[in-house]
Amino acid sequence: GIENVTVVAAKKPTEFADGGWYAVVNNVTRTNATDSISVSGSAHLILCDGATLAITNKADVAAVSVAGGSALTIYGQAADSGRLEVNCGRRGAGIGGGNNGECGEITIHGGTIDAVGGNYSAGIGCGMTGKGGSVTITGGRIVATGQNSTDDIGSRSGSNPPCEVAIRGGIFAHALNDTWMAPGYEAVANTDET
């Protein structure tokens, strides 16, 4: 099992360390202009059922910053009711890269994710003039919103290299681009009006 799990609180941690496991067990809100969580190396976040982590910033970094060379894996629990709500008010993604930087590797297995990007930024993926990285989604409930004609998930048109997207599962609030589907997978209409 997982032995050392850090509970995410109102002010700490501000960094997810390499190899670290973190859990949202209560409702936590961070709204300072400079608020963000940065991922170093490869970290893991558990969204416990009934709990919400909400981050709104006004910076050129993502609300949950997963820059090039780093990786974040997000898990839900049985009901997928644990929530991550992120909104970047400037030029970074909701989850992923900041302005003029590379995105890292983002993997979502569960939970409810509501991610809004800043100007010309993806909800999940690259910031304004960002590039690279990957987003893999196998489950969860996803509401991702890109701004100014930027993809909800991935990167802006013309990003070189673009953010690679592979969707293998999950329930999505917005229409999916066929190119985001992993080989052998296809999008089907939701039956529960989500």
Side-chain angles (χ1 to χ4, degrees), residues 3-176:
E3 294 183 0
N4 296 310
V5 178
T6 300
V7 173
V8 178
K11 297 197 178 290
K12 316 193 273 194
T14 57
E15 180 178 310
F16 288 174
D18 187 29
W21 285 83
Y22 301 85
V24 180
V25 301
N26 302 300
N27 293 337
V28 175
T29 302
R30 298 183 181 185
T31 57
N32 290 332
T34 56
D35 274 343
S36 70
I37 292 176
S38 61
V39 176
S40 296
S42 180
H44 308 268
L45 176 64
I46 303 166
L47 303 174
C48 296
D49 283 341
T52 298
L53 170 60
I55 303 174
T56 300
N57 72 9
K58 292 181 180 175
D60 283 345
V61 296
V64 176
S65 176
V66 186
S70 61
L72 176 64
T73 303
I74 300 173
Y75 309 85
Q77 290 187 314
D80 269 340
S81 65
R83 298 182 63 87
L84 176 60
E85 301 175 354
V86 290
N87 188 326
C88 180
R90 284 188 55 110
R91 294 180 288 246
I95 305 169
N99 183 36
N100 200 28
E102 291 191 12
C103 180
E105 298 177 11
I106 302 158
T107 304
I108 299 171
H109 293 306
T112 295
I113 314 292
D114 189 341
V116 180
N119 295 334
Y120 299 96
S121 300
I124 304 172
C126 290
M128 182 170 170
T129 54
K131 61 184 179 180
S134 66
V135 178
T136 302
I137 300 174
T138 67
R141 294 176 173 266
I142 313 295
V143 184
T145 306
Q147 302 292 345
N148 309 100
S149 302
T150 300
D151 282 345
D152 296 330
I153 303 170
S155 52
R156 288 179 71 189
S157 174
S159 294
N160 188 15
C163 181
E164 297 180 4
V165 179
I167 294 175
R168 297 185 174 90
I171 298 173
F172 297 81
H174 301 158
L176 299 176

